[in-house]
Amino acid sequence: ESAETSENGTSFGKTYESDPEEYRPVMEKPSLKKSQLETANFKLKYLVKEFEKSFTAINNLKGEYSKFDALEKISELNNALRLIAKISAAIKNNDALKLAEVTYVFLKYVKDYRMDMQEPEIQQIIKYIIFTFKMLLTSRKPEDFNVLVQHLNNPVKIFADS
């Protein structure tokens, strides 16, 4: 092979036909640093806890207007979901992002139809959503995840089946 060598021993003009893979430019976005990923995961866990706290507060509402107060709490839940979705998208946690988006759709349906957030069926669904978020944030995915996503994305099915 004909290659010119500089003073420090580096060769110039050498053809690299034997291993073209090594010299292709990489067109990927820079990946997140480990510390950034850990911080993002910590924030996600915190937001899921906040979501759970807001949800638990709904159970403690009493009185004549508790149904309407519960519907107002959906705004708090949706704020947490928006942040969960934003962080999940940034760290490419597509399952958490998907769950946040469809949970938003479900809660919007509940609010739009002024359903009772204290009703056992709705309570059970939201508890399962929280459980699923926690599973996803510990790198586990429930077997029925895709079914859950489909149902939450189309809440009419949930309430038509019951």
Side-chain angles (χ1 to χ4, degrees), residues 51 99 103 106 125-133 148 152:
F51 182 88
L99 185 58
T103 302
F106 174 75
I125 292 167
I126 296 175
K127 284 177 186 172
Y128 191 70
I129 289 168
I130 293 167
F131 167 78
T132 305
F133 267 124
L148 175 68
L152 291 176

Side-chain angles (χ1 to χ4, degrees), residues 9 15 21 26 43 89 112 116 124 132 151:
T15 56
E21 292 289 312
V26 179
K43 285 180 184 174
D112 288 350
D116 188 354
Q124 199 58 43
T132 305
H151 278 79

Side-chain angles (χ1 to χ4, degrees), residues 5-24:
T5 308
S6 70
E7 293 172 14
N8 64 3
T10 335
S11 57
F12 299 103
K14 191 173 181 181
T15 56
Y16 296 100
E17 291 163 5
S18 61
D19 194 8
E21 292 289 312
E22 196 175 314
Y23 302 99
R24 285 193 188 144

Side-chain angles (χ1 to χ4, degrees), residues 142-157:
E143 288 179 23
D144 64 348
F145 179 75
N146 291 330
V147 175
L148 175 68
V149 167
Q150 287 172 355
H151 278 79
L152 291 176
N153 203 28
N154 190 0
V156 177
K157 272 186 180 178

